[in-house]
Amino acid sequence: MTDKFGIYNPPVAPPTRQTPPSGAQGARRPSGPSFDEVFQGQLKGKSELQFSRHAQARMESRGIRFSDADMARLQTAVDTVQSKGGRDSLVMLDDNALVVSVKNNTVVTVVDQDSLRGNVFTNIDSAVIA
């Protein structure tokens, strides 16, 4: 088929849609794990909260100890901050203040009540009371 200038223009056919066969036999599942399987694996593989050497030294010098219940509250607070997009947070846990790198899941420093007065906490983007 040519136009009025003698240029060949083949006819254009409308696009056709291939429909997959009905039934379970025709359905194809992509290879690899599903989104839910990957997501659940990430949740299970979440690392435990770590303490930096500095934080450990502060805790030791000030006689600060956290019970399993305290650690669970702290982890819940860090998870909450992470879900809100926080990166570095001040977590108030009873009479202690902890600066936590949420991205690294690491407690950077720990300050007890006696040392809180007059302290300025910098480089944090969030605060939470656990």
Side-chain angles (χ1 to χ4, degrees):
M1 176 179 262
T2 58
D3 64 9
K4 65 182 179 178
F5 300 107
I7 299 174
Y8 177 72
N9 288 321
V12 177
T16 59
R17 180 181 292 191
Q18 293 180 341
T19 55
S22 61
Q25 291 180 350
R28 291 186 58 202
R29 182 174 180 240
S31 62
S34 69
F35 173 81
D36 188 52
E37 291 167 340
V38 171
F39 182 68
Q40 292 301 325
Q42 290 293 323
L43 288 178
K44 290 177 187 173
K46 186 172 25 174
S47 63
E48 189 174 304
L49 196 61
Q50 304 293 315
F51 286 81
S52 70
R53 287 186 200 161
H54 176 77
Q56 290 174 7
R58 288 283 178 105
M59 289 172 59
E60 189 175 318
S61 69
R62 294 176 175 154
I64 300 171
R65 297 216 189 304
F66 295 115
S67 68
D68 289 343
D70 292 336
M71 290 300 297
R73 288 173 45 215
L74 179 58
Q75 186 66 62
T76 300
V78 171
D79 292 344
T80 301
V81 170
Q82 184 177 37
S83 72
K84 301 288 185 180
R87 295 179 307 274
D88 295 293
S89 184
L90 173 68
V91 180
M92 298 300 299
L93 183 65
D94 298 328
D95 295 333
N96 300 300
L98 300 90
V99 176
V100 180
S101 169
V102 177
K103 182 177 90 169
N104 298 325
N105 209 30
T106 302
V107 176
V108 177
T109 192
V110 181
V111 182
D112 62 348
Q113 183 179 16
D114 296 333
S115 303
L116 277 175
R117 188 163 310 279
N119 259 341
V120 176
F121 295 94
T122 59
N123 299 326
I124 60 169
D125 59 18
S126 55
V128 63
I129 300 172

